Amino acid sequence: MLTVILIAATALLVAADQLSKLWAVNALRGQPPIPLWPGVFELEYRENTGVAFSLLEGQSWVFIPLTLIVMILFVVLLWRSDFRRFRTFRAAAVLIVAGGVGNLIDRIRLRYVVDFLYFKLIDFPIFNVADICVCVGAALLFIFLLFIYKEPEGMGWRTMLFGGRPPKAADAADQSGRENDDHAG
């Protein structure tokens, strides 16, 4: 059931991103910016051939395989890692994957990403719904890794990332005792 909910949430976020971009193309392309809050926030159509915040303009082809690798990593972590037990990680992964898929669709289909949300007050780079998903997901992941997740004792990174259980306390103590016996004699 959880898998269905995670897939549905991802699909809804991708749909929201793609529908908002379709609206932006039809309503904003070729038009002057539309101030929603004059001097603070406006809708302005842009075609971004780079990556986040228009970095590396014209290098979109590099980010298609990179995006696929990151999304596959998060899907694997969602279903195979110890992280899947945590709501914060699940939310972060869904947001990051949904944002990645939303922008990947644009990169493959259009060779650029449609951006249209602009905080004029701080001259923040123009962005879209997928970018919001990735940024919020990254912030949640940061919070998760710093403040929520504590690696269980005896669990190495491979077990943590790809599943499995840490050794039982008795097994670890027994193993520790054997190591001491080997060195004593």
Side-chain angles (χ1 to χ4, degrees):
M1 182 63 175
L2 178 61
T3 301
V4 172
I5 292 169
L6 295 175
I7 291 170
T10 304
L12 283 171
L13 290 167
V14 170
D17 174 66
Q18 290 297 298
L19 289 172
S20 66
K21 290 174 180 174
L22 179 63
W23 173 84
V25 168
N26 291 325
L28 301 173
R29 187 181 352 193
Q31 302 298 318
I34 300 171
L36 297 180
W37 184 356
V40 177
F41 184 75
E42 59 187 39
L43 302 175
E44 181 177 335
Y45 181 83
R46 286 279 165 88
E47 295 174 355
N48 181 359
T49 60
V51 68
F53 312 123
S54 297
L55 297 172
L56 302 170
E57 287 276 338
Q59 303 298 315
S60 189
W61 61 273
V62 172
F63 299 103
I64 291 173
L66 183 62
T67 301
L68 285 170
I69 290 167
V70 169
M71 288 187 311
I72 289 167
L73 173 67
F74 273 100
V75 169
V76 168
L77 288 174
L78 255 177
W79 273 271
R80 299 273 311 157
S81 76
D82 186 48
F83 293 162
R84 72 179 170 270
R85 297 181 297 121
F86 298 91
R87 288 182 191 153
T88 306
F89 179 78
R90 290 192 307 252
V94 163
L95 287 164
I96 291 169
V97 170
V101 169
N103 282 339
L104 184 64
I105 290 169
D106 283 9
R107 287 186 202 292
I108 292 171
R109 190 172 65 87
L110 304 170
R111 302 284 184 229
Y112 58 84
V113 173
V114 173
D115 290 331
F116 61 94
L117 302 169
Y118 178 45
F119 277 107
K120 188 174 187 168
L121 178 69
I122 59 173
D123 194 27
F124 195 78
I126 299 174
F127 58 99
N128 59 44
V129 173
D131 296 337
I132 294 169
C133 289
V134 170
C135 290
V136 171
L140 283 174
L141 182 62
F142 183 74
I143 291 167
F144 170 74
L145 292 172
L146 282 181
F147 303 109
I148 298 171
Y149 185 74
K150 303 292 184 242
E151 184 175 306
E153 190 156 329
M155 182 179 276
W157 68 269
R158 288 185 184 146
T159 307
M160 177 184 67
L161 291 178
F162 301 110
R165 292 189 304 227
K168 293 179 184 173
D171 293 343
D174 185 44
Q175 184 68 21
S176 173
R178 281 193 212 143
E179 290 172 5
N180 290 338
D181 289 343
D182 290 342
H183 295 302

